[in-house]
């Protein structure tokens, strides 16, 4: 028999037993959609979290801190040594100063971080409103979202506002280390009017200022530094070299890898829940194929009596179950994606009413969707093997006498 003839015989059930066939495909679709829905939720949560805490530069950046020791400090000499390490592309330090900020006759206490513009980019800070620091505008600053709330401003309203500062330092202007026990708090009133250029997410009252505007502060020690490596392979060597000097090293990429491992476990657990629904659907398809084989026993006897081989009979049932599984996979993808969008829309509506921000909770990579559809066809193929073998082994004479 020709393959086209076998295929026509295999899909005849869609005409003769339409309701039963469609219900079987729907059952498979529900099982497939459960897997797609749950695993896409895991992918979506992982993608949303990582996008919020990382940038491409931050994944190649090491954060350097000095230990609590008087013998080791993150000073200019230490930074110069780090710059000369093979594999280092950029070093961006910061130092922190306590301050009193004034805006529109209102004042509040802030922690000011004097940084280079590259510090925010290497640190993976995401802008909510406005722009990050730029060397072309030295008097512009970036504030945390908490600062906007302190002054009772919306993020869009605080952009362009001007702030002046009184800095409280520990002998920095005299070139004395902040770690020295002999330092005294001194107030330095700045005449510079800083313009807010951007807002980043943050619970603390942080203000990021271009370090060039505080060049008169003879800084000896820095709070931390961001060290960008040229490649992912160079990060390990650079880390080892910095650790040899006694400084503390951490990286966002380590946190990302740990988060990815946690999410993989979550995705496996979610997939197992969906797999249970798929097994139930597969049992239903197996039952449908078994009934279909028994109903067509006399037909099998006729085909065999006119020369149909056992392989041809088996192929009819296997193709039928595979087509049903493939259609179930397509239906499952549609139901899973639609269910995810509806659920995500509902969550975002609730979040917006409660003052939160919208986000995408579901993400389905193309390869995963393709695997899901192929899995549906595979499950259909497997469930059709036993009925196909039983049908092909029927004796033609017994089949013709079957009622």
């Amino acid at each position: 028999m020709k393959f086209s003839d076998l295929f026509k015989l295999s899909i005849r059930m869609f005409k003769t037993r339409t309701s039963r066939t469609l219900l079987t495909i729907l059952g498979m679709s529900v099982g497939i959609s459960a897997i797609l829905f749950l695993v896409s939720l895991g992918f979506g949560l992982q993608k949303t979290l990582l996008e919020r805490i990382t940038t491409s530069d931050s994944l190649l950046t090491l954060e350097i801190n000095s230990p609590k020791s008087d013998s080791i400090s993150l000073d200019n000499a230490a930074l110069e040594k780090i710059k000369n390490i093979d594999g280092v592309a950029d070093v961006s330090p910061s130092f922190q100063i306590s301050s009193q900020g004034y805006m529109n006759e209102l004042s509040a206490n802030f922690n000011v971080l004097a940084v280079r513009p590259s510090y925010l980019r290497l640190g993976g800070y995401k802008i909510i409103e406005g722009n990050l620091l730029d060397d072309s505008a030295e008097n512009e600053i970036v504030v945390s979202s908490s600062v906007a709330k302190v002054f009772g401003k919306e993020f869009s309203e605080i952009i362009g506002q001007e702030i002046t500062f009184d800095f409280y330092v520990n002998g920095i202007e005299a070139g004395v280390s902040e770690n020295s026990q002999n330092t005294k708090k001194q107030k330095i009133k700045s005449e510079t009017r800083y313009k807010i250029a951007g807002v980043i997410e943050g619970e603390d009252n942080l203000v990021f200022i271009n370090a060039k505007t505080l060049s008169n502060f003879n800084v000896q020690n820095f709070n931390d530094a961001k060290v960008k490596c040229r490649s992912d392979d160079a990060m390990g060597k650079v880390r080892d070299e910095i650790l040899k000097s006694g400084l503390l090293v951490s990286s966002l990429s380590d946190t990302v890898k740990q988060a990815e491992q946690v999410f993989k476990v979550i995705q496996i657990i979610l997939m197992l829940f969906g797999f249970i629904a798929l097994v139930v659907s597969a049992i239903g398809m197996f039952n449908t194929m078994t009934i279909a084989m028994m109903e067509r026993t006399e037909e099998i006897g006729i085909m065999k009596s006119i020369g149909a081989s056992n392989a041809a009979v088996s192929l009819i049932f296997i193709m039928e179950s595979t087509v049903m599984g493939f259609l179930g996979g397509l239906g499952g993808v549609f139901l899973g994606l639609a269910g995810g969008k509806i659920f995500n829309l509902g969550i975002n509506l609730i979040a917006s009413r409660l003052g939160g921000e919208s986000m995408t909770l579901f993400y389905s990579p193309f390869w995963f969707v393709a695997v899901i559809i192929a899995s549906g066809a595979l499950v259909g193929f497997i469930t059709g093997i036993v009925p196909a073998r039983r049908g092909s082994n029927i004796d033609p004479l017994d089949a013709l006498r079957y009622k």
Side-chain angles (χ1 to χ4, degrees):
M1 297 181 70
K2 296 181 180 180
F3 180 83
S4 58
D5 296 329
L6 294 175
F7 184 75
K8 289 178 182 179
L9 288 172
S10 67
I11 62 174
R12 197 178 62 168
M13 287 292 289
F14 289 92
K15 295 180 180 180
T16 58
R17 297 288 188 273
T18 303
S19 298
R20 186 176 68 190
T21 304
L22 291 179
L23 287 173
T24 303
I25 294 175
L26 179 61
M28 177 62 70
S29 298
V30 171
I32 293 289
S33 66
I35 294 179
L36 182 67
F37 181 90
L38 293 173
V39 177
S40 293
L41 177 60
F43 277 123
L45 292 175
Q46 177 181 355
K47 186 172 183 289
T48 300
L49 176 63
L50 296 183
E51 283 181 347
R52 288 176 176 270
I53 66 173
T54 63
T55 60
S56 57
D57 287 325
S58 65
L59 292 177
L60 293 175
T61 300
L62 300 173
E63 183 173 344
I64 313 302
N65 298 92
S66 58
K68 295 180 179 179
S69 171
D70 293 334
S71 59
I72 301 174
S73 61
L74 186 60
D75 52 19
N76 287 307
L79 291 178
E80 195 61 34
K81 289 181 181 178
I82 294 174
K83 289 179 183 178
N84 294 327
I85 297 176
D86 185 34
V88 172
D90 188 17
V91 178
S92 187
S94 76
F95 62 92
Q96 183 172 315
I97 311 170
S98 299
S99 71
Q100 185 83 12
Y102 303 90
M103 184 179 75
N104 298 335
E105 299 181 354
L106 297 175
S107 66
N109 293 322
F110 300 110
N111 286 323
V112 172
L113 279 179
V115 299
R116 297 175 184 172
S118 60
Y119 182 91
L120 295 171
R121 177 170 47 82
L122 298 181
Y125 291 95
K126 295 294 187 70
I127 199 75
I128 300 176
E129 192 79 30
N131 304 299
L132 293 176
L133 295 180
D134 192 337
D135 272 325
S136 61
E138 295 183 1
N139 291 343
E140 289 186 346
I141 62 175
V142 171
V143 301
S144 65
S145 56
S146 179
V147 173
K149 295 175 183 177
V150 167
F151 287 116
K153 300 282 187 180
E154 296 292 335
F155 299 151
S156 57
E157 294 175 341
I158 202 171
I159 299 296
Q161 297 289 327
E162 292 185 342
I163 300 182
T164 57
F165 294 97
D166 290 339
F167 297 110
Y168 297 91
V169 297
N170 294 327
I172 294 181
E173 79 289 355
V176 182
S177 169
E178 283 191 271
N179 296 328
S180 174
Q181 296 180 356
N182 297 323
T183 59
K184 296 180 180 180
K185 280 283 186 181
Q186 297 186 28
K187 176 180 176 180
I188 300 178
K189 186 174 181 61
S190 174
E191 299 298 331
T192 305
R193 300 187 67 85
Y194 293 93
K195 182 179 178 181
I196 298 177
V199 181
I200 62 172
E201 188 67 44
E203 297 296 328
D204 299 324
N205 292 343
L206 282 178
V207 176
F208 294 89
I209 288 180
N210 194 319
K212 289 183 178 179
T213 64
L214 303 179
S215 57
N216 59 315
F217 289 4
N218 187 13
V219 180
Q220 299 297 315
N221 296 306
F222 297 91
N223 292 85
D224 64 74
K226 308 292 184 184
V227 178
K228 182 183 178 182
C229 303
R230 290 195 176 94
S231 66
D232 188 56
D233 295 333
M235 287 186 69
K237 297 178 182 178
V238 173
R239 182 201 295 267
D240 293 339
E241 289 296 324
I242 296 174
L243 287 173
K244 288 179 182 178
S245 64
L247 296 170
L248 303 178
V249 184
S250 62
S251 68
L252 188 59
S253 60
D254 294 336
T255 304
V256 170
K257 289 177 182 178
Q258 293 175 358
E260 287 178 341
Q261 291 176 351
V262 172
F263 276 110
K264 283 181 180 178
V265 174
I266 293 174
Q267 289 165 6
I268 292 173
I269 294 173
L270 293 175
M271 187 178 292
L272 289 176
F273 282 111
F275 185 74
I276 294 173
L278 182 60
V279 169
V280 174
S281 303
I283 293 173
M285 180 175 287
F286 177 79
N287 181 61
T288 298
M289 292 305 302
T290 302
I291 295 174
M293 183 273 298
M294 296 176 64
E295 289 177 343
R296 296 160 70 178
T297 300
E298 188 174 356
E299 180 183 322
I300 293 171
I302 295 173
M303 285 192 297
K304 281 195 167 187
S305 64
I306 61 176
S309 64
N310 289 349
V313 174
S314 295
L315 192 57
I316 290 173
F317 287 99
I318 288 177
M319 281 196 297
E320 181 178 330
S321 61
T322 302
V323 169
M324 292 172 62
F326 176 75
L327 293 177
L330 289 177
V333 168
F334 174 77
L335 291 177
L337 293 177
K341 287 186 178 297
I342 293 172
F343 185 83
N344 196 89
L345 179 62
I347 292 295
N348 285 335
L349 286 175
I350 295 173
S352 62
R353 291 187 177 182
L354 296 177
E357 56 181 293
S358 61
M359 62 180 66
T360 302
L361 297 177
F362 293 85
Y363 172 66
S364 303
F366 176 78
W367 66 265
F368 179 64
V369 173
V371 168
I372 283 290
I373 296 174
S375 299
L378 179 62
V379 170
F381 174 82
I382 293 173
T383 55
I385 292 177
V386 174
R389 291 187 62 184
R390 289 178 62 183
S392 64
N393 291 330
I394 293 177
D395 185 85
L397 295 177
D398 292 337
L400 291 172
R401 291 195 298 265
Y402 181 81
K403 296 291 183 180

